[in-house]
Amino acid sequence: MPVVAIAIAAVVAVIVLIIIFKMVWRVAEPNEALIISGLGARSKPIDGIDSLGFKIVTGKGTSVLPGFQVSRRLRLDSRAGHLEVNCVTQQGIPVKVRGVVIYKVGDDFVSIANAARRFLEQQDSMDDAIHELFTGHLRSIIGNLTVEDLILNRERLTSETRSSAADEMSKLGLVVDSLQIQEIDDETGYITNLGRPHAAKVAASARIAEAERDQEATQREQETERQKASVIRETEMKKAEYDGQVKQAEQLARQEVIQRETRNAELEAERTERRLESEVRKPADAKAYEQVKLAEAEREERISYAQAAATEVQLKAQRESEAIRLMGEAQADATRLKGLAEADAIKARGQALAENTEAIIAQQLAENWPEIVEAGAGVFGNVDNMIVLNGAQGVEEMLAKALTLGGTGLGLARSLLAGQAGSPNGAPNGKPANGLAPAESVPVTAPAKPETDPDND
């Protein structure tokens, strides 16, 4: 409860403050000035003028103490005052002048102060004061001007009126934005009569111009009629000429029709003759020509068939003889190339053996090593139990001795060496390549030369 009471009291206090602020604070609109008078409402000296007995505020807000100060508003926007003056010109001619003056309170503080002292409570009476002020000045100025001046130089009238009323408007705190003379009337018809000579001159000029235009129009009409008659005459002549041309064209057309009909008759006769020729004579000629051509075609066909058969037999015989010749040449070339290849192989083997005997012997040993080992292993054929010491080295030494002491394996190796040494392309002077004595000779059988296929010779 205490919190709610405090909140309500705070809200009430804020509302009261807002109400007091609205009662105290005043804001001047852009088109008005606040005139504040009362306790402490004094303005500062302006342009050498002593302080006023009231305060002027424009375009901002200020505080006003209720009961001690009073605030009033003075409008600064424009106003329009209508003028209607009956006066007499310098020539003694009575005229009625209608116009409008647009004025307002000046924006400076001096003008606002002057207007506030005179119209603050009577702002609606400004129009009457302006009307009376400008009416008097217009009467005095128009009395020194002629009607012609009023008509031809209204700017002089407005400028003199504004100049003569400037001091009084300044004292009232007002300024003139615009002064316009809208209408000038006279009851005697002076202005109307003033314009008649010019109007008569203008009317005369208009009638003269109208008569000249009528004369020119008449001349143009006559000229047009002459041209029209000339055109009609030329038209009639051209029409007659055209009619003659039309008749001549019709005669020519009839002649052309007759000629065309004659030509058609001739063409019809020619067509009949051609039809008879095409339907009777030409079919007969065509049939005879067809028989002749058929006989010639049959004869040509038999001749062509016989020639084709003879040509085919001749070509077949030529192909068979050419095939036999080519087959023989191929077999002969194959036999010759085979012999040359064998001779080259023997020659190359002999050269290789002469140049590198050791390598050839090693190759032969390597190629026949299984037989050599098998022959040497025959030494151990009758051994039941054999103990080998010193591991793999012992086995190697034992095999070497067996090959050395075994007659069969060593004899086979020696026979191979003797065969290489005794070949025609072996070592020179018939000596063994490795310097060993020749062993038992083993006959070496040369490979048999393949027989030549009699079908390929």
Side-chain angles (χ1 to χ4, degrees):
M1 289 298 293
V3 176
V4 174
I6 293 172
I8 293 173
V11 171
V12 172
V14 170
I15 294 173
V16 170
L17 289 175
I18 292 173
I19 293 173
I20 293 172
F21 180 78
K22 290 180 68 66
M23 293 175 61
V24 171
W25 192 257
R26 297 289 184 271
V27 178
E29 298 293 337
N31 61 339
E32 64 182 10
L34 293 178
I35 309 300
I36 303 171
S37 59
L39 180 63
R42 296 288 184 274
S43 63
K44 297 179 181 180
I46 303 171
D47 297 334
I49 302 175
D50 294 336
S51 176
L52 302 174
F54 51 88
K55 182 179 180 181
I56 299 174
V57 179
T58 58
K60 59 183 179 180
T62 186
S63 60
V64 178
L65 299 177
F68 297 96
Q69 294 177 346
V70 177
S71 173
R72 298 179 180 85
R73 298 178 184 273
L74 178 64
R75 297 182 60 83
L76 304 178
D77 49 3
S78 298
R79 302 168 182 266
H82 295 279
L83 304 176
E84 187 172 347
V85 182
N86 293 318
C87 52
V88 180
T89 65
Q90 185 182 11
Q91 301 161 325
I93 299 172
V95 294
K96 181 183 290 187
V97 178
R98 295 185 181 88
V100 63
V101 58
I102 299 174
Y103 66 98
K104 66 182 293 295
V105 177
D107 295 328
D108 58 292
F109 282 176
V110 176
S111 299
I112 294 172
N114 293 335
R117 289 193 177 99
R118 291 166 177 81
F119 303 108
L120 186 58
E121 297 295 337
Q122 299 176 354
Q123 296 185 36
D124 295 335
S125 64
M126 286 185 184
D127 293 340
D128 296 335
I130 293 297
H131 183 273
E132 296 298 332
L133 175 64
F134 279 92
T135 298
H137 286 286
L138 282 173
R139 285 196 181 99
S140 61
I141 293 171
I142 291 173
N144 296 321
L145 300 175
T146 61
V147 177
E148 288 80 358
D149 294 334
L150 295 177
I151 295 172
L152 300 177
N153 196 358
R154 293 189 181 183
E155 182 63 28
R156 177 184 174 185
L157 175 61
T158 57
S159 63
E160 290 183 359
T161 304
R162 294 180 66 172
S163 298
S164 62
D167 293 337
E168 297 176 0
M169 293 289 289
S170 177
K171 293 177 181 179
L172 295 175
L174 304 175
V175 293
V176 177
D177 289 338
S178 176
L179 174 62
Q180 298 292 331
I181 303 299
Q182 297 176 337
E183 188 177 358
I184 299 174
D185 295 331
D186 69 309
E187 299 177 355
T188 60
Y190 181 85
I191 297 175
T192 303
N193 294 328
L194 188 64
R196 282 183 179 179
H198 182 68
K201 183 179 180 181
V202 172
S205 300
R207 287 196 300 271
I208 293 170
E210 185 176 0
E212 291 176 353
R213 299 290 85 77
D214 291 340
Q215 183 179 0
E216 291 178 0
T218 303
Q219 292 176 357
R220 293 293 299 274
E221 289 176 358
Q222 293 175 357
E223 182 66 24
T224 303
E225 290 295 333
R226 286 194 297 269
Q227 292 177 358
K228 183 178 179 181
S230 176
V231 171
I232 292 172
R233 183 172 63 255
E234 292 178 359
T235 303
E236 293 294 335
M237 293 175 62
K238 289 182 179 180
K239 184 178 181 182
E241 183 179 357
Y242 176 75
D243 291 339
Q245 292 177 356
V246 169
K247 291 179 181 180
Q248 184 178 1
E250 290 177 354
Q251 292 176 359
L252 293 175
R254 285 196 295 271
Q255 292 177 2
E256 290 178 359
V257 169
I258 294 171
Q259 292 176 358
R260 192 179 298 111
E261 290 177 354
T262 304
R263 180 61 179 168
N264 290 336
E266 293 176 355
L267 291 175
E268 184 65 25
E270 292 179 359
R271 188 180 64 175
T272 303
E273 183 179 357
R274 290 178 181 176
R275 183 174 57 80
L276 293 174
E277 182 179 359
S278 62
E279 292 178 358
V280 178
R281 186 173 63 81
K282 286 187 176 181
D285 294 342
K287 188 172 182 181
Y289 181 76
E290 181 182 2
Q291 295 296 329
V292 172
K293 289 297 181 182
L294 289 175
E296 291 178 356
E298 185 177 358
R299 180 174 59 81
E300 294 292 337
E301 182 179 0
R302 288 196 299 271
I303 292 171
S304 298
Y305 181 76
Q307 291 178 352
T311 303
E312 184 178 0
V313 172
Q314 184 179 0
L315 292 175
K316 184 175 180 181
Q318 291 177 357
R319 286 196 301 270
E320 290 178 356
S321 62
E322 183 69 19
I324 292 170
R325 184 181 63 80
L326 293 175
M327 186 179 294
E329 290 179 357
Q331 291 177 355
D333 290 340
T335 302
R336 181 175 56 81
L337 293 174
K338 186 175 181 181
L340 292 174
E342 291 178 354
D344 292 339
I346 294 171
K347 183 178 180 180
R349 184 177 181 86
Q351 291 178 355
L353 185 60
E355 293 175 358
N356 197 356
T357 304
E358 296 294 333
I360 296 301
I361 293 172
Q363 181 181 0
Q364 291 293 326
L365 289 175
E367 291 177 355
N368 295 276
W369 190 254
E371 290 82 358
I372 296 172
V373 173
E374 183 180 359
V379 179
F380 300 99
N382 297 321
V383 178
D384 294 332
N385 295 315
M386 182 175 61
I387 298 172
V388 180
L389 301 176
N390 202 12
Q393 183 177 2
V395 175
E396 182 179 355
E397 293 176 354
M398 181 187 65
L399 289 175
K401 290 179 180 182
L403 290 175
T404 302
L405 298 176
T408 306
L410 186 59
L412 180 58
R414 289 177 177 177
S415 66
L416 290 174
L417 295 175
Q420 294 293 333
S423 61
N425 296 322
N429 300 324
K431 294 181 180 182
N434 54 0
L436 296 177
E440 295 179 359
S441 61
V442 179
V444 177
T445 303
K449 183 179 181 180
E451 298 180 359
T452 304
D453 190 357
D455 296 336
N456 296 328
D457 290 340

